[in-house]
């Protein structure tokens, strides 16, 4: 084990000294750029008592810094409006404020949907934290329906990946930003259809930063950079984090420009166990930012849409549809008050402009569908620019749905990855419980949005003596258009060398065929070839059927027979024989896994940082036939352990009885895949 920690230390040093530019760890520009490149507010300082009128940076921390304020004010003052109510001045723009709130903040999508039904389009939007995502996507031209798709269409594990916090955060956002870039292209806040003010905090100067112009993607990253979860963003001489850490509801940034303000909130007001130190820390941070937001609400005459999501955890990203519906319902309750105060009078666009908007939205939706289909076909999100991360984890192979036949090991690993475009590559140092350690290199890349190549080579040592080498290659050609149903062609090969083998008696397993699949069903006929040139044909199927309530029937079968009846073939761990008591070579392989599964659909949080979700309990009965038949049965549980609801570790445990061999068996499979 000491060898692994030696490798860990060496890799960390190399990462810091040689790879820091890849992570943005290079020296940031001087924080003086904050003052030089912005329009800071000085009225507060000049109105203070003389002893506080100082250029001392400490006494400047309560003065916000604006980027693009003059142009922002000009844009919102020149936007066309109607004054159907005599009490409403044409000179007063309509502002919309979105609070933060992590997963709860996506209730703002439902609010936008209901406001549009009332014909309300704001003159400008102010937002921070996760509310900034909704504000920025809407201002960039996305409809509420498209924003919802952007949020829920992709599994969070594919977009947010864990990393060692060498740069200040434990989740990497580069894939998420790259996917948005593919959809919207180059954007600057000052060019968005609806003016926005996005709020962050600068760690360098401790001042509030209000962006009304600047790079769309970097400002979005900065606005959601919750401490510890996401790394701060180096931008324009600043080190930026989530603006919601000091004020969850930035009403004052809107009241500077108008007294016609709609505020949509996503406060947190659920019961907690304050014996948990993590919960205490979270609440301690929440007190100040909520108190400040409430104070500004009470001192400003606004129309408040208090979204009914306050009992949701900030990790409840898997409940997006419910949260969005709650936002819609909450906005619906406020609709009468909006009409009474004349707040339905926002942007007044003529029919030609509205038609152009609808056309632009359709173009975005079409582009999103193309991008999403490509992802579902390839599983790869092309990177906007080179990105890298260092990560650690644990994973076990040999599960019933693994693609590897010759690898059934467990690994504790330290990894380094880099991605650019459609290429994803990485190298990992690993240690296994068998006291083996070594290197594992991988490279995946896609061509034409349909053809995917996966490559892996693993070399292992024991006491610095060569132990084994595994070479894996796979190619998939996805024929289907939508990536959700259709068929793909595949070819894969594995070669295993060890110190007991020479080049003539290595072990290998190769197969090729096609997968026919839908959301809940797949069937895969294939040919195979294994060591000693034994060839044959196989077929696998996997389906899930919902029965009553939350009960499902899961069934999986593997049938494999040699072409030559005189030849013998192997049974592999991922053929699905739970317990794996059958070793050796056989005339045929037949395994069926049959389960009645109860999926709760509920989640349980621990300390508001770990979320247990997707819990399922199953009673299973497996039949197997190799040289003779057998039966086993037992119980299993499956769940995901998610960090802040965005990246998961899967866990499977089962135990049962093998009636053929009169044995009790049990196993645990746990890991995360990168």
């Amino acid at each position: 084990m000491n060898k692994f920690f030696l490798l860990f230390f060496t890799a960390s040093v190399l990462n810091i000294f040689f790879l820091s530019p890849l992570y943005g760890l290079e020296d940031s520009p001087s924080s003086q750029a904050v003052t030089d490149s912005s329009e800071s507010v000085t009225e507060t300082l000049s109105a203070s008592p003389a002893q506080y009128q100082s250029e001392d940076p400490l006494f400047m921390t309560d003065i916000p810094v604006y980027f693009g304020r003059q142009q922002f004010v000009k844009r919102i003052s020149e936007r066309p409006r109607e004054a159907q109510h005599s009490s409403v001045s044409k000179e007063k723009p309509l502002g919309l404020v979105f609070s933060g709130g992590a997963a709860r903040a996506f209730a703002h999508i439902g609010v936008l949907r209901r406001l549009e039904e009332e014909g309300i389009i704001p003159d400008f939007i102010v937002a921070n934290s996760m509310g900034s995502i909704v504000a920025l996507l809407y201002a960039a031209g996305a409809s509420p329906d498209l924003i919802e798709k952007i949020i829920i269409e992709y599994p969070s594990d594919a977009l947010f990946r864990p990393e060692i916090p060498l740069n200040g955060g434990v989740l990497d956002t580069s894939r998420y930003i790259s996917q948005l870039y593919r959809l919207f292209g180059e954007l600057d806040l000052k060019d968005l259809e609806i003016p926005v003010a996005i709020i962050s905090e600068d760690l360098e100067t401790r001042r509030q930063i209000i962006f009304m112009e600047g790079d769309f993607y970097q400002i979005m990253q900065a606005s959601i950079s919750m401490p510890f979860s996401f790394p701060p963003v180096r931008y324009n001489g600043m080190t930026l984090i989530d603006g919601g850490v000091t004020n969850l509801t930035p009403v004052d940034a809107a009241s500077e420009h108008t007294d016609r303000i709609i505020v949509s909130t996503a406060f947190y007001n659920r019961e907690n166990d304050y014996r948990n130190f993590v919960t205490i820390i979270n609440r301690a941070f929440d007190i100040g930012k909520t108190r400040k937001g409430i104070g500004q609400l009470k001192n400003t005459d606004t129309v408040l849409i208090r979204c009914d999501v306050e009992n949701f955890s900030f990790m409840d990203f898997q409940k997006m549809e419910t949260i969005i519906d709650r936002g819609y319902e909450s906005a619906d309750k406020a609709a009468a008050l909006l009409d009474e105060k004349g707040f339905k009078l926002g942007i007044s666009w003529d029919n030609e402009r509205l038609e152009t908007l609808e056309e632009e939205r359709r173009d975005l939706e079409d582009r999103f569908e193309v991008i999403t289909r490509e992802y579902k076909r390839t599983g790869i999100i092309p990177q906007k620019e080179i990105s890298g991360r260092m990560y650690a984890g644990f994973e076990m192979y040999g599960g019933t749905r693994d693609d590897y036949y010759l690898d059934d090991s467990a690994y504790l690993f330290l990894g380094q990855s880099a991605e650019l475009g459609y290429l994803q590559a990485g190298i990992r140092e690993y240690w296994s419980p068998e006291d083996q350690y070594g290197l594992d290199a991988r490279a995946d890349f896609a061509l034409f949005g349909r053809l995917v190549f996966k490559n892996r080579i693993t070399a292992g040592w024991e006491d610095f003596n060569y132990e084994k080498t595994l070479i894996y290659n796979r190619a998939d050609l996805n024929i289907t258009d939508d990536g959700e149903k259709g068929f793909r062609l595949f070819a894969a090969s594995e070669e295993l060398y060890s110190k007991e083998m020479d080049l003539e008696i290595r072990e290998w397993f190769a197969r090729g065929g096609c997968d026919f699949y839908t959301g809940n069903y797949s069937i895969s006929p294939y040919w195979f070839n294994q060591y000693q040139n034994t060839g044959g044909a196989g077929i696998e199927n996997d389906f899930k059927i919902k029965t009553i309530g939350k009960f499902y029937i899961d069934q999986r079968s593997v049938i494999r027979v040699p072409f030559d009846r005189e030849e013998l073939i192997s049974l592999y761990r991922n053929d699905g024989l739970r317990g794996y008591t059958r070793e050796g070579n056989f005339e045929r392989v037949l395994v069926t896994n049959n389960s009645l599964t109860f999926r709760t659909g509920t989640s349980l949080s621990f300390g508001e940082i770990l979320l247990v979700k997707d819990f399922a309990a199953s009673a299973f009965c497996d039949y197997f036939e190799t040289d003779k038949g057998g039966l086993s049965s037992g119980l299993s549980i499956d769940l995901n352990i998610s960090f802040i609801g965005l990246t998961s570790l899967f866990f499977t445990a089962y135990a049962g009885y093998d009636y053929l061999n009169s044995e009790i068996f049990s196993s645990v499979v746990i890991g995360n895949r990168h």
Side-chain angles (χ1 to χ4, degrees):
M1 192 67 171
N2 291 334
K3 302 184 184 80
F4 179 77
F5 287 109
L6 177 62
L7 288 171
F8 187 100
F9 175 77
T10 303
S12 299
V13 172
L14 290 173
N15 186 79
I16 292 171
F17 281 99
F18 296 107
L19 296 174
S20 60
L22 198 59
Y23 300 108
L25 287 173
E26 66 275 7
D27 292 337
S28 61
S30 169
S31 59
Q32 183 66 33
V34 172
T35 303
D36 295 341
S37 306
S38 61
E39 308 148 12
S40 56
V41 177
T42 59
E43 290 84 351
T44 303
L45 184 63
S46 60
S48 302
Q51 65 265 35
Y52 299 124
Q53 295 184 27
S54 167
E55 294 301 320
D56 186 336
L58 181 63
F59 289 95
M60 301 283 286
T61 57
D62 64 332
I63 302 174
V65 177
Y66 291 81
F67 285 83
R69 187 168 187 257
Q70 292 180 355
Q71 185 176 13
F72 177 86
V73 171
K74 182 179 180 181
R75 289 184 68 195
I76 64 175
S77 64
E78 293 178 349
R79 298 181 77 78
R81 276 174 222 100
E82 293 179 353
Q84 298 173 359
H85 299 260
S86 58
S87 61
V88 179
S89 169
K90 289 186 179 182
E91 302 304 318
K92 295 181 179 180
L94 177 64
L96 178 60
V97 177
F98 286 154
S99 76
R104 300 185 305 276
F106 293 110
H108 303 319
I109 299 172
V111 170
L112 285 174
R113 185 173 287 148
R114 186 65 185 91
L115 291 179
E116 284 202 351
E117 290 177 355
E118 293 292 326
I120 299 175
I121 301 176
D123 288 299
F124 66 91
I125 306 175
V126 174
N128 64 11
S129 195
M130 286 292 180
S132 298
I133 293 179
V134 181
L136 286 168
L137 296 180
Y138 188 68
S143 66
D145 290 346
L146 179 57
I147 298 172
E148 180 175 359
K149 290 179 182 178
I150 292 171
I151 298 302
I152 69 175
E153 194 76 22
Y154 292 80
S156 59
D157 284 7
L159 297 175
F160 302 99
R161 299 163 301 155
E163 63 179 347
I164 296 173
L166 299 175
N167 201 24
V170 296
L171 291 178
D172 172 58
T173 62
S174 60
R175 285 185 177 178
Y176 176 67
I177 295 300
S178 292
Q179 195 71 340
L180 291 180
Y181 179 80
R182 296 191 71 204
L183 180 60
F184 292 101
E186 294 288 347
L187 284 177
D188 189 291
L189 265 58
K190 69 178 185 297
D191 300 321
L192 300 181
E193 186 63 55
I194 299 175
V196 293
I198 303 299
I199 299 173
S200 290
E201 296 287 339
D202 178 26
L203 294 177
E204 306 275 355
T205 62
R206 290 179 285 188
R207 295 175 71 174
Q208 184 185 66
I209 310 298
I210 302 177
F211 288 104
M212 298 163 170
E213 67 178 12
D215 184 89
F216 180 91
Y217 303 101
Q218 287 190 282
I219 292 171
M220 177 183 286
Q221 281 182 290
S223 68
I224 65 171
S225 290
M226 296 180 289
F228 180 67
S229 298
F230 300 109
V233 174
R234 272 65 179 267
Y235 179 67
N236 215 16
M238 298 169 287
T239 302
L240 301 169
I241 61 170
D242 185 341
V245 299
T246 58
N247 181 3
L248 197 64
T249 309
V251 181
D252 57 340
S255 62
E256 294 176 13
H257 307 288
T258 186
D259 58 2
R260 301 175 62 225
I261 304 172
I262 302 171
V263 181
S264 176
T265 65
F267 290 122
Y268 186 51
N269 197 28
R270 66 186 294 183
E271 294 184 2
N272 284 304
D273 178 6
Y274 295 111
R275 293 172 296 179
N276 185 295
F277 78 95
V278 178
T279 303
I280 294 171
I281 292 172
N282 285 334
R283 174 60 73 159
F285 278 110
D286 179 71
I287 289 173
K289 63 185 182 182
T290 299
R291 181 183 294 161
K292 187 169 184 179
I294 292 293
Q296 291 182 1
L297 275 172
K298 292 167 70 174
N299 292 325
T300 309
D301 184 17
T302 67
V303 172
L304 175 62
I305 300 175
R306 186 175 173 183
C307 294
D308 183 22
V309 294
E310 295 174 9
N311 62 330
F312 285 86
S313 167
F314 77 89
M315 300 184 295
D316 279 335
F317 292 96
Q318 79 279 9
K319 298 178 181 177
M320 281 294 96
E321 293 181 356
T322 302
I323 288 173
I324 292 169
D325 288 343
R326 292 283 184 90
Y328 179 92
E329 293 163 3
S330 301
D332 185 61
K333 293 177 182 178
L337 183 57
L338 288 169
D339 188 41
E340 178 184 327
K341 295 180 72 70
F343 278 16
K344 290 187 178 181
L345 307 177
I347 296 173
S348 177
W349 281 334
D350 58 28
N351 291 334
E352 181 180 353
R353 182 65 194 94
L354 289 173
E355 289 175 4
T356 302
L357 174 64
E358 289 303 316
E359 183 178 347
E360 291 172 351
R361 285 184 169 183
R362 285 194 296 269
D363 289 343
L364 276 176
E365 289 171 1
D366 290 344
R367 197 179 314 154
F368 177 78
E369 293 301 323
V370 170
I371 292 169
T372 302
R373 287 198 300 267
E374 181 179 306
Y375 164 73
K376 291 179 178 179
R377 289 194 300 259
T378 65
I380 292 178
I381 296 175
Q383 291 288 289
K384 171 177 176 281
E385 55 191 25
I386 190 168
S387 66
R389 66 190 177 106
M390 193 174 182
Y391 58 94
F394 179 77
E395 64 187 22
M396 302 174 69
Y397 294 108
T400 58
R401 289 165 176 81
D402 276 334
D403 198 43
Y404 300 117
Y405 283 75
L406 303 184
D407 190 356
D408 57 5
S409 301
Y411 298 106
L412 178 67
F413 59 82
L414 171 72
Q416 174 79 55
S417 72
E419 300 181 9
L420 178 62
Y422 289 87
L423 174 64
Q424 301 175 358
I427 186 167
R428 309 189 303 183
E429 302 149 271
Y430 71 83
W431 174 84
S432 68
E434 295 84 12
D435 287 328
Q436 292 182 5
Y437 58 93
L439 295 175
D440 178 76
R442 302 172 184 229
D444 299 344
F445 61 97
L447 293 175
F448 316 119
R450 295 180 184 272
L451 183 59
V452 180
F453 297 92
K454 298 181 180 180
N455 304 273
R456 175 190 177 198
I457 180 168
T458 300
W461 293 270
E462 206 173 277
D463 295 325
F464 292 99
N465 293 315
Y466 169 77
E467 180 65 26
K468 70 174 185 178
T469 298
L470 174 72
I471 301 174
Y472 172 82
N473 299 280
R474 178 173 175 127
D476 291 271
L477 176 61
N478 203 315
I479 307 299
T480 184
D481 186 56
D482 62 9
E484 295 183 334
K485 57 183 179 297
F487 86 82
R488 70 172 68 88
L489 303 175
F490 69 88
S493 68
E494 293 175 77
E495 297 180 65
L496 179 64
Y497 304 85
S498 70
K499 62 184 179 182
E500 291 87 7
M501 301 176 185
D502 58 34
L503 293 179
E504 298 301 323
I505 53 174
R506 68 187 187 278
E507 187 175 358
W508 75 84
F509 187 83
R511 65 185 185 129
C514 57
D515 295 327
F516 298 89
Y517 61 92
T518 63
N520 292 318
Y521 182 80
S522 68
I523 184 169
S524 304
Y526 59 88
W527 62 265
F528 70 89
N529 189 280
Q530 65 180 54
Y531 69 96
Q532 298 177 344
N533 287 320
T534 301
I539 187 169
E540 299 180 15
N541 78 277
D542 196 340
F543 69 80
K544 182 189 290 112
I545 299 175
K546 185 175 182 179
T547 57
I548 300 173
K550 297 180 179 180
F551 286 91
Y552 293 79
I553 293 176
D554 295 315
Q555 201 280 331
R556 180 178 182 270
S557 298
V558 176
I559 303 172
R560 198 162 56 249
V561 296
F563 291 136
D564 187 344
R565 290 184 176 271
E566 301 298 321
E567 300 286 352
L568 299 178
I569 58 176
S570 297
L571 175 69
Y572 298 97
R573 185 179 292 274
N574 69 348
D575 284 328
L577 181 54
R578 279 175 270 208
Y580 197 61
T581 57
R582 307 291 295 165
E583 295 182 352
N585 298 312
F586 308 95
E587 296 177 357
R588 61 188 173 276
V589 169
L590 168 60
V591 178
T592 67
N593 310 123
N594 309 279
S595 302
L596 178 63
T597 304
F598 177 73
R599 292 181 168 86
T600 65
T602 59
S603 59
L604 180 65
S605 65
F606 292 90
E608 291 296 293
I609 192 167
L610 293 179
L611 184 71
V612 176
K613 60 180 183 177
D614 301 331
F615 179 85
S618 304
F620 68 83
C621 179
D622 293 350
Y623 173 78
F624 56 91
E625 183 177 320
T626 49
D627 51 349
K628 54 183 177 180
L631 193 69
S632 64
S633 62
L635 300 173
S636 70
I637 59 170
D638 296 89
L639 53 87
N640 277 314
I641 303 172
S642 175
F643 174 72
I644 69 167
L646 291 177
T647 184
S648 298
L649 191 74
F650 68 84
F651 177 90
T652 299
Y654 58 83
Y657 187 75
D658 180 348
Y659 295 97
L660 177 63
N661 298 290
S662 301
E663 293 177 346
I664 295 176
F665 61 86
S666 63
S667 183
V668 173
V669 179
I670 187 170
N672 53 1
R673 299 292 165 80
H674 305 279

